[in-house]
């Protein structure tokens, strides 16, 4: 069903880019003849090729010529087809599209295709969904089974409402709930599956149950990957697990302590994750006790600095004479601690703790 003003846009041919407003109530003839309401002068277009009947917020197409396809499906002459917004119509080699005035997004076109083929060519729709599943590397293992199951479901023509197969659906996808959307009357699927392959399988079964299902199901593996990528911007060595569908735990180890280090606000991270990642209902961030950072010992002279000590302070000094006290940022990292014979530096790149020691370790003060 189409809502609001409707337009017909020419996507290819001599008139590519042109757009015509469709009436709220009336008929439109498309062809190459003088009697056509919308005239197309391309080769292969009959004088009167198709008729559009616009009424009750619905666009209905009736083919007057055999060379008409909708989403690649050859239509029968004089048979009427309802067109959802975003429908792709081919008249010989000219392609048209119904729009709401603005260019249709790929998601809108896919939804229109599923709605149309689900109503008029369910088997063809299931084959297309299965081919798309086969192109997904994560679904390749189940692709053949999905294809066979889709064809079988389409050919059985079981009644849609309250069919016994619902029990089988619950057994395969225990975390998916099947209800009826109050606004549209279509079946609505909501919940979680473990993998993207299971989501593809569920999609095929949902379309076999009836046209234009509403699918609000998330793959847990996709959410875990998105959470890991999100968390890696703020935390180190992240692992993501889940206890119940929709609830996730992000575990990381603390960053090496530095005088300049700031602990992330875990509550703020959780709120941002719920806001940015679809399907996350609850998320908890846990900082686990990590292994002590490795200490790497190297001689002081290799850094180009020297260690000085007065009665009041201890500091590093470089060749230019610039002093670096505890907590200062040097060219190689942050000074973590200073002792009479060594300096601990947290290196900038590998975040490893380096112990820079004087060469004359035999002095009594160095132990």
């Amino acid at each position: 069903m189409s809502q609001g003003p409707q337009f017909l846009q020419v996507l290819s041919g001599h008139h590519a880019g042109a757009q015509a407003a469709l009436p709220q109530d009336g008929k439109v003839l498309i062809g190459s003849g003088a009697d056509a309401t919308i005239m197309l002068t391309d080769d292969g277009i009959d004088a009167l090729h198709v008729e559009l009947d616009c009424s009750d917020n619905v666009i209905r197409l009736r083919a007057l010529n055999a060379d008409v396809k909708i989403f690649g499906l050859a239509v029968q002459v004089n048979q009427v087809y309802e067109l959802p917004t975003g429908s792709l119509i081919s008249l010989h080699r000219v392609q048209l599209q119904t729009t709401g005035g603005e260019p249709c997004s790929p998601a809108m076109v896919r939804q229109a295709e599923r709605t149309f083929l689900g109503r008029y060519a369910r088997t063809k729709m299931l084959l297309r969904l299965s081919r798309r599943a086969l192109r997904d590397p994560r679904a390749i293992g189940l692709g053949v089974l999905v294809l066979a199951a889709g064809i079988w479901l389409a050919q059985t023509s079981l009644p849609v409402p309250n069919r016994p197969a619902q029990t089988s659906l619950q057994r395969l996808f225990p975390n998916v709930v099947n209800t009826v959307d109050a606004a549209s009357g279509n079946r609505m699927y909501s919940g979680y599956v473990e993998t993207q392959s299971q989501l593809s399988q569920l999609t095929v079964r949902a379309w076999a149950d009836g046209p234009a299902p509403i699918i609000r199901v998330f793959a847990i593996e996709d959410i875990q990957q998105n959470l890991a990528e999100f968390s890696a911007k703020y935390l180190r060595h992240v692992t993501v697990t889940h206890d119940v569908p929709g609830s996730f735990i992000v575990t990381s180890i603390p960053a090496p302590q530095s005088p300049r280090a700031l602990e992330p606000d875990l509550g703020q991270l959780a709120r941002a994750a719920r806001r940015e990642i679809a399907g996350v209902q609850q998320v908890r961030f846990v900082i686990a006790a990590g292994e002590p950072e490795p200490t790497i010992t190297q001689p002081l002279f290799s850094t180009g600095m020297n260690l000085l000590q007065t009665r009041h302070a201890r500091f590093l000094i470089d060749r230019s004479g610039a002093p670096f006290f505890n907590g200062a940022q040097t060219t190689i990292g942050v000074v973590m601690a200073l002792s009479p014979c060594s300096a601990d530096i947290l290196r900038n790149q590998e975040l490893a703790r380096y112990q820079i020691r004087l060469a004359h370790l035999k002095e009594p003060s160095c132990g």
Side-chain angles (χ1 to χ4, degrees):
M1 180 169 289
S2 306
Q3 300 293 332
Q6 293 294 304
F7 297 82
L8 188 69
Q9 185 170 6
V10 183
L11 302 181
S12 64
H14 295 167
H15 310 278
Q19 183 172 268
L22 299 177
Q24 293 290 330
D25 190 4
K27 294 185 178 182
V28 175
L29 294 171
I30 303 175
S32 60
D35 295 332
T37 312
I38 298 177
M39 183 178 294
L40 301 175
T41 59
D42 301 78
D43 294 338
I45 304 298
D46 277 3
L48 295 177
H49 209 102
V50 296
E51 176 189 80
L52 300 181
D53 183 2
C54 308
S55 59
D56 302 326
N57 288 325
V58 178
I59 301 175
R60 299 177 177 87
L61 179 145
R62 183 169 67 92
L64 307 177
N65 180 286
D67 195 1
V68 178
K69 295 180 180 178
I70 304 174
F71 287 115
L73 174 68
V75 302
Q76 299 180 15
V77 176
N78 289 325
Q79 183 171 333
V80 176
Y81 299 84
E82 290 188 8
L83 302 179
T85 301
S87 294
L88 294 174
I89 310 162
S90 299
L91 311 182
H92 192 55
R93 297 180 181 177
V94 178
Q95 193 169 53
L96 313 173
Q97 185 176 42
T98 59
T99 73
E102 299 293 332
C104 295
S105 66
M108 183 182 296
V109 176
R110 288 194 298 270
Q111 181 62 35
E113 179 185 20
R114 291 171 181 172
T115 300
F116 179 83
L117 295 179
R119 182 178 296 135
Y120 298 107
R122 185 176 297 178
T123 301
K124 189 178 186 70
M125 177 204 63
L126 291 169
L127 288 170
R128 289 188 184 181
L129 287 174
S130 300
R131 282 197 295 268
R132 289 168 186 169
L134 286 168
R135 287 197 293 268
D136 185 348
R138 292 173 295 185
I140 202 71
L142 289 175
V144 176
L145 294 177
V146 171
L147 176 61
I151 296 175
W152 179 82
L153 287 169
Q155 293 177 343
T156 53
S157 301
L158 293 176
V160 170
N162 300 324
R163 49 186 284 184
Q166 178 63 19
T167 303
S168 175
L169 183 71
Q170 291 176 343
R171 185 170 61 252
L172 289 173
F173 312 107
N175 297 313
V176 175
V177 178
N178 182 3
T179 58
V180 176
D181 181 55
S184 64
N186 295 341
R187 287 187 178 273
M188 181 168 65
Y189 300 80
S190 57
Y192 296 86
V193 294
E194 290 291 335
T195 65
Q196 185 66 37
S197 298
Q198 291 179 347
L199 183 57
S200 300
Q201 186 181 11
L202 171 66
T203 301
V204 172
R205 294 181 66 96
W207 278 95
D209 284 346
I214 301 172
I215 300 177
R216 297 173 181 169
V217 179
F218 303 95
I220 291 175
E221 69 174 7
D222 288 346
I223 299 176
Q224 289 180 308
Q225 180 179 350
N226 293 336
L227 268 174
E229 293 174 356
F230 170 86
S231 304
K233 295 185 289 186
Y234 310 98
L235 304 169
R236 302 176 65 228
H237 302 297
V238 171
T239 58
V240 182
T241 57
H242 73 96
D243 43 9
V244 296
S247 180
F248 298 86
I249 301 174
V250 179
T251 306
S252 68
I253 66 173
Q257 293 302 307
S258 161
R260 297 185 178 186
L262 294 177
E263 287 293 334
D265 186 334
L266 301 185
Q268 185 176 359
L269 280 183
R271 290 190 293 272
R274 289 196 301 269
R275 184 172 59 251
E276 296 182 19
I277 303 174
V280 177
Q281 296 182 8
Q282 297 292 332
V283 59
R284 182 161 57 94
F285 287 86
V286 178
I287 304 296
E291 295 293 330
E293 290 296 322
T295 299
I296 303 171
T297 302
Q298 68 181 68
L300 181 65
F301 67 83
S302 66
T303 66
M305 293 187 291
N306 199 0
L307 180 61
L308 298 182
Q309 181 172 334
T310 68
R311 289 192 305 170
H312 306 288
R314 186 180 298 130
F315 54 91
L316 291 171
I317 187 170
D318 63 9
R319 290 188 177 93
S320 66
F324 298 95
F325 296 91
N326 189 32
Q329 174 72 54
T330 71
T331 56
I332 62 172
V334 178
V335 180
M336 304 289 291
L338 293 170
S339 67
C341 298
S342 67
D344 284 358
I345 295 179
L346 185 67
R347 290 294 295 267
N348 293 331
Q349 295 179 348
E350 59 265 50
L351 293 178
R353 190 184 295 266
Y354 275 64
Q355 188 178 65
I356 314 298
R357 298 187 62 85
L358 294 175
H360 45 281
L361 298 181
K362 294 183 180 180
E363 291 189 4
S365 60
C366 293

